[in-house]
Amino acid sequence: MISLLKALQLIFFSFFLPLVAQAAEVVLTEREVVQFRPGVWLASGLELPASGAKLPIVADDHTDEGARLLRIIASRSEISGLAGVLYDNRDRGHSSLDPNLYPRLTFLKYSSEFSDAGLDVGLAGRIFLPAVVLGNSSTAVRTGAAPRSLPRLAMTSAFWRAVTPTLYENNCIYVYPEHRDHDAEDRYPVNWPYMIISQGSSGSDKRFLHAVAMTLAALPSDTFEFLRKERLVAPTVQMILRRNLQNVATREDYLSGKAHPTVFEGRLVQTGRMVAQAASLQPDDIPPLVRLRVVDEEFSEAGGLAGLEERLVNTPSAIGRIWRSFAWERELLVTAEDTSEPNDRPLTFEWRLLRGDPQRVWIEPQGGNGATAKIRVAWHDPWTEPVPGKKKKQKLRQFSRVDIGVFANNGKLDSAPAIISIDFPEHQVRRYEAVDQAEKRLVSIDYDAKVRGAYLDPLLFWSADWTDTARYAADGKLLGWERQNTGDTSASFVPHDEENQSRFYEINRGDARMPTLRRKEKP
């Protein structure tokens, strides 16, 4: 006969078991992966455990915004509940979701073969996982000649620029802090929707991890399955996040820069609104992934004195250009006609200036649905904007990049943005003069960033201790430069020779190899 004490113990543990239920783990080993190409593996053999349908979607003691609403929705509707979602923490637990809070979420663990090789830390993209993935890494490059956040590393490395968009198109959502790249100035060369970048350092990603986890959980089961098959999970989550920011109330707000900053402030995230919109989405509501293609442009593979590449990023949802030319204006012709609507609805397109001077950016949509646009941009000197929310003591942030958002509307919803970015060398001081009412030309460039204490990214830009003043022929042709070294009163003439220019200049472009990744400091 069972003792009274044993009976009480059984009652106690059976009653409280749901409260302490912990998420499942799956361990990735070498047996589950095959090499796709050098440096990239496919985890084709990885199998997620069956979803614990009897477990709570969120723990009873989860008190974050949106958790209560999610419980109510789960009691009334058939929702995904995080079935088929894999959590990939890539900072070895430094800033990780608590498995007790999401009992149905599967947590990925790496075997020693991967951790010893450093494949479990830093940017995602070397191992592709067969699941809907939510992940993060609170690490940064803190040593070497080019310290930077993980997002800026991804934007300035050819390898990561190639794999990061592929993650986005394969249902992967990763969150990375901006760690010192978006404080006094925005140091990012592009604005892209391929990841969520949080304002701050270690731990600033947590707010977004919780918001996205609950958003994924709230999706109706058929909607989640539709998104998974169409590989639209990440773009749809990006749309939900941006549409429900605290400062985004209307469609016009959503189609403006308010909803599409380079870096997101955690205090503007409204998880409850995100959960509510996710729960209301039906499969035929889902907008497409906008796919951009440059038809024609004036940006080239050899611009400026050093003849360096101007076309930094060419991907479906992000195009990035670096202004190296001496010209006052540049032009691009870009089309979104390759965009495919998952429900075969007719699409219309919106092209909106998200950041930049509206007096120096001209956008001319073409065609009946606006799928193509001619974009003309004039030179931008660096400018400052107020940091949102800093009311008592207003802080300013410097920018030197134009962003243009492209949105597809299927008659129900606007899509996540595809973004065209044009980055200006903010460390240079340029002067232009009017030739006539329709044209301006370069007068001079001060290249000496060091003497002015101006920051430049050594992986993208260079500087020199001189100022060049342009000399033109009577017909307006650029003949060369009157070069004056810093601190010198005399100048020497240097002829302009576009074809052979780069051999005359010793350019410090930094070291583009993978630096060591270390944990960030606490903010």
Side-chain angles (χ1 to χ4, degrees):
M1 183 175 179
I2 190 168
S3 69
L4 179 60
L5 177 60
K6 181 68 72 174
L8 290 173
Q9 287 176 335
L10 289 173
I11 294 171
F12 178 89
F13 285 116
S14 63
F15 181 81
F16 283 102
L17 182 60
L19 296 181
V20 297
Q22 193 175 75
E25 291 183 357
V26 60
V27 180
L28 182 66
T29 69
E30 285 186 328
R31 294 189 300 273
E32 282 85 43
V33 302
V34 293
Q35 190 165 29
F36 175 63
R37 60 184 177 86
V40 179
W41 291 267
L42 302 178
S44 55
L46 185 70
E47 294 185 5
L48 270 65
S51 174
K54 294 184 179 180
L55 296 175
I57 295 173
V58 291
D60 291 345
D61 58 349
H62 195 335
T63 58
D64 281 16
E65 178 198 0
R68 182 174 180 274
L69 176 60
L70 182 58
R71 293 189 196 97
I72 294 171
I73 293 169
S75 69
R76 298 175 178 175
S77 310
E78 185 178 342
I79 59 176
S80 79
L82 295 174
V85 179
L86 185 64
Y87 174 58
D88 179 20
N89 174 260
R90 300 189 57 79
D91 56 30
R92 297 175 179 172
H94 176 53
S95 177
S96 179
L97 281 177
D98 183 348
N100 294 306
L101 294 180
Y102 300 98
R104 295 195 196 180
L105 184 63
T106 301
F107 280 58
L108 179 68
K109 300 296 179 182
Y110 292 88
S111 66
S112 59
E113 301 100 327
F114 295 104
S115 57
D116 290 348
L119 293 174
D120 65 329
V121 68
L123 283 166
R126 294 194 181 275
I127 303 171
F128 281 80
L129 303 163
V132 173
V133 180
L134 170 61
N136 71 302
S137 183
S138 263
T139 55
V141 181
R142 295 175 54 201
T143 60
R148 62 201 51 233
S149 65
L150 295 187
R152 187 152 67 106
L153 174 62
M155 295 171 186
T156 53
S157 160
F159 174 84
W160 295 114
R161 287 197 300 270
V163 301
T164 301
T166 307
L167 289 171
Y168 183 68
E169 293 189 41
N170 282 276
N171 299 329
C172 299
I173 308 155
Y174 282 90
V175 187
Y176 305 105
E178 55 80 26
H179 188 60
R180 301 182 181 175
D181 275 343
H182 196 259
D183 296 331
E185 61 184 302
D186 183 336
R187 293 181 173 178
Y188 293 103
V190 295
N191 184 356
W192 64 13
Y194 297 141
M195 54 184 60
I196 297 169
I197 310 175
S198 61
Q199 183 66 43
S201 293
S202 293
S204 63
D205 45 356
K206 285 281 193 72
R207 179 73 180 267
F208 297 89
L209 291 174
H210 287 298
V212 174
M214 286 190 270
T215 298
L216 291 173
L219 289 165
S221 297
D222 56 346
T223 302
F224 179 84
E225 185 61 17
F226 179 85
L227 291 171
R228 186 190 66 78
K229 287 183 177 180
E230 296 292 330
R231 298 188 298 177
L232 289 171
V233 172
T236 301
V237 168
Q238 282 280 13
M239 179 271 291
I240 293 172
L241 167 67
R242 295 160 188 258
R243 185 63 183 84
N244 293 289
L245 293 173
Q246 188 180 81
N247 58 336
V248 177
T250 66
R251 180 173 185 251
E252 282 304 305
D253 287 340
Y254 180 72
L255 298 176
S256 75
K258 290 181 181 180
H260 312 288
T262 327
V263 173
F264 290 89
E265 294 271 1
R267 61 181 181 78
L268 296 180
V269 175
Q270 297 195 114
T271 306
R273 276 177 50 178
M274 293 173 66
V275 166
Q277 184 177 13
S280 70
L281 283 181
Q282 299 303 310
D284 62 355
D285 296 338
I286 306 302
L289 171 75
V290 177
R291 294 183 175 275
L292 299 180
R293 176 168 46 87
V294 177
V295 178
D296 194 16
E297 64 179 313
E298 293 179 351
F299 291 88
S300 70
E301 62 182 9
L305 283 181
L308 300 180
E309 176 66 76
E310 292 188 299
R311 296 167 297 193
L312 181 68
V313 177
N314 284 300
T315 58
S317 294
I319 292 170
R321 297 295 182 259
I322 298 177
W323 193 298
R324 304 189 191 277
S325 166
F326 309 127
W328 168 252
E329 287 183 0
R330 317 292 294 281
E331 194 170 279
L332 305 94
L333 183 65
V334 182
T335 186
E337 65 184 8
D338 299 334
T339 302
S340 177
E341 214 287 326
N343 291 296
D344 296 324
R345 293 176 177 272
L347 296 174
T348 56
F349 293 87
E350 297 279 352
W351 301 71
R352 297 297 181 98
L353 179 63
L354 305 178
R355 170 156 285 124
D357 184 349
Q359 302 301 313
R360 296 191 179 192
V361 180
W362 299 269
I363 304 171
E364 302 174 25
Q366 301 176 352
N369 65 349
T372 301
K374 181 187 291 185
I375 300 168
R376 187 160 50 96
V377 181
W379 171 266
H380 281 58
D381 292 314
W383 71 95
T384 59
E385 297 178 12
V387 175
K390 307 294 184 182
K391 298 296 185 183
K392 291 183 179 179
K393 188 177 180 181
Q394 187 68 67
K395 293 185 178 180
L396 298 176
R397 180 174 291 130
Q398 179 176 292
F399 295 91
S400 57
R401 191 191 64 246
V402 165
D403 294 332
I404 296 166
V406 186
F407 305 85
N409 184 281
N410 62 2
K412 286 197 169 186
L413 290 171
D414 293 298
S415 69
I419 303 174
I420 302 163
S421 298
I422 300 171
D423 192 38
F424 296 84
E426 68 272 17
H427 62 287
Q428 297 178 2
V429 177
R430 295 193 180 196
R431 288 196 304 118
Y432 287 86
E433 66 180 4
V435 178
D436 53 40
Q437 288 186 345
E439 184 182 353
K440 287 187 178 182
R441 69 182 182 184
L442 183 68
V443 174
S444 65
I445 304 180
D446 177 356
Y447 291 102
D448 200 343
K450 184 177 181 181
V451 76
R452 287 181 276 103
Y455 176 79
L456 76 156
D457 188 334
L459 299 189
L460 299 177
F461 297 112
W462 59 278
S463 67
D465 60 348
W466 67 66
T467 297
D468 281 348
T469 301
R471 184 193 293 180
Y472 295 94
D475 62 358
K477 180 182 178 180
L478 178 61
L479 298 175
W481 312 93
E482 297 288 346
R483 176 159 300 160
Q484 184 174 345
N485 288 83
T486 303
D488 195 350
T489 57
S490 61
S492 57
F493 179 73
V494 179
H496 178 67
D497 182 352
E498 290 185 352
E499 292 184 1
N500 300 303
Q501 199 65 249
S502 61
R503 66 187 176 91
F504 295 112
Y505 302 93
E506 183 177 349
I507 309 303
N508 174 22
R509 286 191 252 178
D511 186 351
R513 293 175 298 178
M514 283 290 294
T516 302
L517 293 170
R518 294 188 179 179
R519 288 182 178 181
K520 293 177 184 171
E521 299 169 343
K522 285 288 184 181

